[in-house]
Amino acid sequence: MAEQRPTGELASELRRAVRGRVDFSAAARALMTMDASNYRRVPAGVVAPRDTDDVAAALEICRRFGVPVVPRGGGTSIAGQATGTGVVLDFTRHMNAVLTVDEDSATAVVQPGAVLDTLVQAVRPLGLTFGPDPSTHSRCTLGGMIGNNACGAHSVAWGTTADNVRALTVMAYDGTPHRLAKGVKGPNGPGGPPGLGPLVDAHLALLRTGYPQDLPRRISGYALDALLPENGTDLARAFCGSEGTLAVLTEATVRLVPAPPARALAVLGYPDESAAADAAAGLLPYRPLTVEGMARDLVPDGRGLPRGAAWLFAETGGDTPAAARAAAKTLLRASDALDATVVDDPAAMRALWRIREDAAGTATRTPDGAEAWPGWEDCAVPPARLGAYLRDFRALLAAHGLRGAPYGHFGEGCVHVRIDFDLLTAPGVRAFRRFSEETADLVVAHGGSLSGEHGDGQARAELLPKMYGEELVALFARFKDLWDPDGGMNPGMLVRPHRLDEGLRFAVLPSAPVDTVFGYHADGGDFAGAVRRCVGVAKCRTEKPGTDSVMCPSFRATGEEEHSTRGRARLLHEMLAGEVVRDGWRSTEVRDALDLCLSCKGCRSDCPVGVDMAAYKAEFLHHHYAGRLRPRSHYAMGGLPRWLRAAAPLARPLNALAGIRPLASAARLLAGIDPRRPLPKLAPTTLTRLLDGLPADGPASAVLWPDTFTQHLAPAAGLAAVRVLRAAGLPVTLPAGPVCCGLTHISTGRLTRARAVLRRTLDTVEPLLDLGIPVTVLEPSCAATLKTDLPELLGDDPRAARLASSVRTFAQTLEEYAPRWTPPRLGREIAGQTHCHQHSVLGDAAERRLRARAGLSGELSGGCCGLAGNFGFERGHYEVSVACAGEQLLPAVRAAVPGTEILADGFSCRTQLDQLAGVRARHLAEVLAEGLERP
């Protein structure tokens, strides 16, 4: 390539020529330094083209400046091929549409940035689907799938992406457009660059003999054998899996397949993974839709699976549920499983598939909490040899002193595994290289492919000569050079590759632990270790909310990578690295990205590796504003417990003053509150004062926690809880003085203040901890803070762990300590919100069971209400707050029939419903207490 010219000049030229977004800022570059692999490269800048003309303009300028180009989809590649040092083309922003669907030909035309689930949802009403379905289907793009020749669980039935591509429109680095399809001819042979036909003709024997046979998951290298005349000279197929090294994809015509109207899942248990692998190939004659495998080291508790230490998930389809179930039972009879079951309830099937889909993240932590990484992620062998390969692979792991949890597409001989490589030290990296080289030899000995799904990228391309030999790999280079003589398309991948042990993303992180306030006990007390949790699988980039998930509401509201959990983790990684984001804790790039984090803690449960961005945000704000003035809202809403205690004696006159518009506006301005937010009314009498007049009815069986919100803003919920707990035979007591979980201090990053508040709280409640009774916390956000943040902030105080272990929700207290109590039968429908912290930290199983016993039917919405404590009140957050509420909560409540009970245990959720929908929601305790008063 030509010598590169200054990036400032390049950026200016691109901004003049490209109508889409051109961003060379530190934040934009930091967000694109990594994919889901072990590798890191800093790009020059990011271009989000609006259309093909923008692509052509960007390529022309990059070629003129001698700058390489990296096409990027969802950035979930595991081999490093979505990283690069030139200009990253981000197709997810604009070129992301399903353009047309042709039901007659069962095809669709898509742009490269279209997310797979978007296509699937578009064609579902026609009874069609796109066959390949990687576990990242909710965020991976069709362009990325074509670039990697992605597969997924259902390729047993419907093949790889290459099997489902009909035609491609691409643009070479020199700006030449090409239309690629099976049998398409150009002046020099098949469509594509000049010289391609003669290249194939000169190497027919090599192309016919150089590729392994009987290998459905041969993803490694270029598929040049697709250009053989007997294979139809299919250049579209040959382009699939080229990892952005040949040209830029701008449009694709893909095949659709009939989607079975009904499905069932046969879950087969085996004594070990090798037995499961040996059995997988035997199920293929029965034409299942999937044959997936995993072992107990990935699912230690079995999670209700059949007896065994390894399992096969074999999905079947049918025109009716009975037909699908019958097909699954046929698999059971044909198998030699130790134990088996058939699941056809859609919710139960989703729960089981979630175990499998989350494996790419959960496998990054071994059972003892150690880190595990990709690097030998997805090799494939002929299915009949999978059991033998796994036995040899396990032996090789043991010989190197390594651990990993193999899982994956057993029906096609494809194994995924994350291994506890030491990628932080030079000896560990050397051991990583030795293991990779020896495992490549093992895969080849079993007739396999180094990559069975995710592509070679940097992780395996260096080892391709072991699989294909030097002559065929040299032919790969000549093929690449015909397409890209300037070497501008994603250099360092597939041919003339970077070394597999260079450019590792961990090398730039500080070697010594960073001084922090939170303990990060699960990460060895190391903030860098906590940030490393994000491996980039990007579940946080899911565009549609799930009923069983929260993460990541700010990304769904904005569509911006920097407002996803992954994006924020990437910026924190680069902050620690100090190369792109250079201001450390004072970084404005990190501050701005974290500003729209709602601290919902959804990532703590929904992220497969348990990233806790709420804690990272609090940590960052603590350091960012150390010794400096903070935003007004940090003082006003961060100090809310203190202000409310001071205001309590003046509640009535203060409420009256808040009704005077100019005074309310001035108060909002001083407090940093959005002018569109009404100020909540103070309770005329606090909860503790209301309870002072109630006579005692025996020794206390539970502590009622007077959290700030219940104490000063919603005491009715507290009174109701006391009535219900007493009716259940659980007299309550309150702490002898003021207590606070520190939530508002934590969410605004005032961690020194939070620690002081929590220590005083422990002093107050210490006598109650000796009683051995539950501490019942009505406000989910406060309960979650006591459960998770308290031990992290005061890990040196044993009382912190004692209090955390004593905390129960209202429903948990009733279920555990009054199991024989019968709640009133209310017999009505419900709608409303499960608090995001309840979902993420506490779980709502006890609440569901209590509602069912009380005759409250229906489901509460998932997601986040969008108010999220101080977040929705702060200036600059209103639009995002409203957008979050509009995802699930507001539609669910507005669709409720008259007489539906609106439930929301969180004060924020109730406030959001009141302010945005004019609906009064109640705590479950209030509804049950009302039922007690009825005959």
Side-chain angles (χ1 to χ4, degrees):
M1 293 188 62
E3 184 177 347
Q4 293 188 21
R5 289 154 64 186
T7 56
E9 189 179 341
L10 169 65
S12 298
E13 290 278 341
L14 285 167
R15 290 190 185 100
R16 280 194 288 269
V18 173
R19 293 184 300 113
R21 177 183 292 185
V22 176
D23 196 342
F24 278 55
S25 68
R29 295 165 63 221
L31 291 168
M32 296 293 173
T33 54
M34 290 172 278
D35 50 14
S37 72
N38 297 327
Y39 302 101
R40 171 185 177 272
R41 267 177 213 88
V42 179
V46 183
V47 173
R50 285 192 175 275
D51 51 28
T52 304
D53 289 342
D54 268 2
V55 174
L59 287 173
E60 191 276 327
I61 292 168
C62 287
R63 186 172 66 256
R64 182 153 41 91
F65 277 73
V67 172
V69 168
V70 181
R72 180 173 165 121
T76 56
S77 300
I78 293 180
Q81 59 267 56
T83 67
T85 57
V87 167
V88 172
L89 296 181
D90 176 12
F91 290 99
T92 62
R93 171 159 297 279
H94 300 301
M95 296 181 68
N96 56 12
V98 176
L99 298 175
T100 62
V101 175
D102 188 329
E103 184 177 5
D104 294 334
S105 65
T107 59
V109 179
V110 299
Q111 292 180 310
V115 170
L116 174 57
D117 271 2
T118 303
L119 172 62
V120 170
Q121 290 157 12
V123 302
R124 181 174 290 142
L126 305 177
L128 300 171
T129 192
F130 186 69
D133 61 337
S135 60
T136 55
H137 54 83
S138 62
R139 59 271 190 197
C140 70
T141 67
L142 271 297
M145 292 178 67
I146 291 166
N148 290 345
N149 193 10
C151 305
H154 289 85
S155 63
V156 164
W158 296 313
T160 70
T161 298
D163 295 318
N164 292 273
V165 167
R166 290 291 172 263
L168 302 174
T169 301
V170 304
M171 187 173 294
Y173 187 67
D174 66 4
T176 304
H178 298 274
R179 175 74 172 172
L180 312 179
K182 191 171 186 176
V184 172
K185 299 289 184 179
N188 294 282
L196 187 53
L199 182 70
V200 173
D201 292 341
H203 296 87
L204 292 176
L206 179 60
L207 295 180
R208 286 172 175 144
T209 62
Y211 288 89
Q213 303 302 309
D214 302 319
L215 187 58
R217 285 297 192 91
R218 191 204 77 211
I219 305 299
S220 281
Y222 293 125
L224 298 186
D225 55 335
L227 302 179
L228 289 168
E230 61 266 31
N231 292 331
T233 314
D234 193 346
L235 193 53
R237 187 182 185 93
F239 188 90
C240 289
S242 58
E243 302 181 14
T245 61
L246 303 180
V248 179
L249 175 70
T250 58
E251 191 174 284
T253 302
V254 298
R255 175 182 78 136
L256 305 172
V257 296
R263 303 190 190 206
L265 187 64
V267 185
L268 313 171
Y270 294 88
D272 56 57
E273 76 189 2
S274 292
D278 288 334
L283 301 179
L284 299 181
Y286 299 93
R287 307 189 68 171
L289 300 178
T290 67
V291 183
E292 299 290 288
M294 66 180 68
R296 186 173 290 278
D297 48 9
L298 190 62
V299 195
D301 59 4
R303 299 195 194 187
L305 298 172
R307 186 165 46 96
W311 298 270
L312 294 179
F313 285 15
E315 189 179 75
T316 57
D319 292 334
T320 65
R325 187 173 182 86
K329 286 187 173 180
T330 298
L331 289 178
L332 262 62
R333 289 192 295 270
S335 74
D336 56 352
L338 190 68
D339 190 16
T341 188
V342 171
V343 180
D344 56 5
D345 173 67
M349 289 175 66
R350 281 197 304 272
L352 288 171
W353 277 123
R354 181 175 177 178
I355 298 172
R356 168 61 186 86
E357 291 178 356
D358 284 352
T362 55
T364 62
R365 293 280 160 159
T366 62
D368 62 0
E371 295 171 304
W373 304 108
W376 203 262
E377 171 64 25
D378 64 302
C379 69
V381 298
R385 297 191 60 88
L386 181 60
Y389 166 75
L390 281 176
R391 285 185 280 273
D392 289 345
F393 178 71
R394 283 284 192 181
L396 189 61
L397 280 174
H400 282 262
L402 296 170
R403 295 173 298 167
Y407 66 97
H409 315 292
F410 280 20
E412 293 199 294
C414 181
V415 176
H416 298 309
V417 61
R418 301 293 174 99
I419 300 172
D420 63 340
F421 298 119
D422 168 16
L423 299 178
L424 305 180
T425 68
V429 172
R430 287 194 294 271
F432 163 62
R433 165 171 278 280
R434 287 194 301 271
F435 177 83
S436 299
E437 292 170 342
E438 291 181 30
T439 311
D441 291 332
L442 178 64
V443 171
V444 172
H446 281 275
S449 174
L450 304 187
S451 172
E453 181 161 24
H454 295 144
D456 299 305
Q458 180 176 351
R460 288 174 289 274
E462 185 187 352
L463 303 173
L464 284 178
K466 290 177 177 287
M467 176 181 172
Y468 287 121
E470 297 289 351
E471 186 179 4
L472 188 52
V473 170
L475 190 61
F476 289 167
R478 292 178 62 187
F479 180 65
K480 153 82 168 173
D481 292 343
L482 287 176
W483 277 97
D484 181 27
D486 294 320
M489 293 301 307
N490 206 6
M493 303 296 146
L494 269 180
V495 298
R496 294 181 281 273
H498 301 299
R499 289 170 52 89
L500 64 87
D501 54 354
E502 67 177 307
L504 295 172
R505 64 187 177 101
F506 317 99
V508 296
L509 293 176
S511 56
V514 178
D515 184 31
T516 57
V517 184
F518 279 97
Y520 304 105
H521 299 127
D523 298 291
D526 183 9
F527 183 67
V531 171
R532 283 199 306 269
R533 276 184 175 268
C534 178
V535 293
V537 295
K539 192 176 179 184
C540 50
R541 280 182 55 95
T542 300
E543 295 181 340
K544 300 292 183 183
T547 56
D548 60 347
S549 66
V550 171
M551 179 182 74
C552 180
S554 54
F555 171 76
R556 291 195 297 272
T558 67
E560 297 280 0
E561 172 78 12
E562 69 176 307
H563 298 307
S564 69
T565 305
R566 180 179 74 171
R568 294 176 178 123
R570 290 292 178 260
L571 286 165
L572 287 167
H573 187 285
E574 293 304 318
M575 179 194 82
L576 293 173
E579 178 185 352
V580 182
V581 178
R582 300 178 179 176
D583 298 329
W585 293 112
R586 299 296 197 197
S587 164
T588 56
E589 295 89 358
V590 178
R591 181 202 63 196
D592 293 347
L594 288 170
D595 181 57
L596 290 187
C597 171
L598 288 86
S599 297
C600 68
K601 288 188 179 287
C603 47
R604 185 183 174 94
S605 63
D606 298 343
C607 171
V609 291
V611 168
D612 188 352
M613 193 53 64
Y616 305 172
K617 175 182 179 178
E619 185 77 60
F620 175 82
L621 293 177
H622 169 83
H623 295 278
H624 184 76
Y625 288 109
R628 297 199 292 179
L629 283 175
R630 292 170 165 268
R632 290 192 294 271
S633 62
H634 286 200
Y635 300 106
M637 284 175 280
L640 191 65
R642 174 187 290 179
W643 304 128
L644 289 179
R645 282 197 299 273
L650 304 171
R652 293 182 188 279
L654 287 174
N655 285 338
L657 291 173
I660 301 173
R661 186 172 298 177
L663 292 179
S665 297
R668 282 192 288 263
L669 180 64
L670 286 172
I673 295 174
D674 189 280
R676 291 160 287 191
R677 286 289 182 188
L679 298 175
K681 289 188 176 181
L682 306 177
T685 308
T686 64
L687 173 64
T688 49
R689 290 190 60 189
L690 289 170
L691 294 178
D692 281 345
L694 291 180
D697 56 354
S701 297
V703 177
L704 184 68
W705 185 272
D707 65 85
T708 295
F709 305 101
T710 306
Q711 169 83 315
H712 296 287
L713 300 172
L719 278 177
V722 170
R723 293 189 185 117
V724 175
L725 291 170
R726 283 186 167 189
L730 297 174
V732 302
T733 186
L734 271 69
V739 293
C740 180
C741 69
L743 170 64
T744 60
H745 305 296
I746 295 169
S747 64
T748 53
R750 302 174 73 194
L751 299 185
T752 302
R753 176 68 180 162
R755 283 168 56 89
V757 166
L758 286 168
R759 286 204 189 277
R760 286 201 298 271
T761 292
L762 289 175
D763 292 340
T764 301
V765 302
E766 185 173 8
L768 298 176
L769 297 179
D770 295 329
L771 299 178
I773 57 178
V775 177
T776 304
V777 185
L778 301 180
E779 173 58 43
S781 59
C782 296
T785 301
L786 292 171
K787 277 282 193 186
T788 60
D789 296 326
L790 168 61
E792 287 290 323
L793 287 170
L794 295 182
D796 58 338
D797 192 329
R799 298 175 302 172
R802 291 179 63 198
L803 175 55
S805 65
S806 299
V807 167
R808 299 291 187 277
T809 67
F810 171 70
Q812 287 170 346
T813 297
L814 288 169
E815 183 171 89
E816 293 181 39
Y817 295 88
R820 296 178 181 174
W821 177 68
T822 301
R825 289 290 296 180
L826 303 174
R828 68 187 77 156
E829 290 286 324
I830 61 167
Q833 175 93 59
T834 297
H835 193 285
C836 52
H837 287 183
Q838 177 106 40
H839 164 87
S840 306
V841 175
L842 309 165
D844 66 342
E847 281 70 18
R848 287 175 177 273
R849 289 189 286 266
L850 178 57
R851 294 197 303 263
R853 292 173 63 206
L856 296 170
S857 57
E859 289 289 332
L860 300 183
S861 69
C864 178
C865 75
L867 194 62
N870 55 290
F871 177 87
F873 277 96
E874 292 178 344
R875 287 176 178 264
H877 295 171
Y878 184 80
E879 285 75 15
V880 169
S881 175
V882 172
C884 293
E887 275 197 319
Q888 295 191 59
L889 176 59
L890 294 181
V893 169
R894 288 165 178 163
V897 299
T900 298
E901 185 67 53
I902 308 301
L903 289 177
D905 284 359
F907 178 76
S908 288
C909 309
R910 298 196 296 271
T911 301
Q912 186 81 310
L913 280 170
D914 177 49
Q915 295 189 356
L916 299 185
V919 172
R920 179 175 179 262
R922 297 195 289 175
H923 194 287
L924 179 58
E926 295 179 88
V927 178
L928 293 178
E930 181 183 77
L932 291 175
E933 297 169 2
R934 294 178 179 172

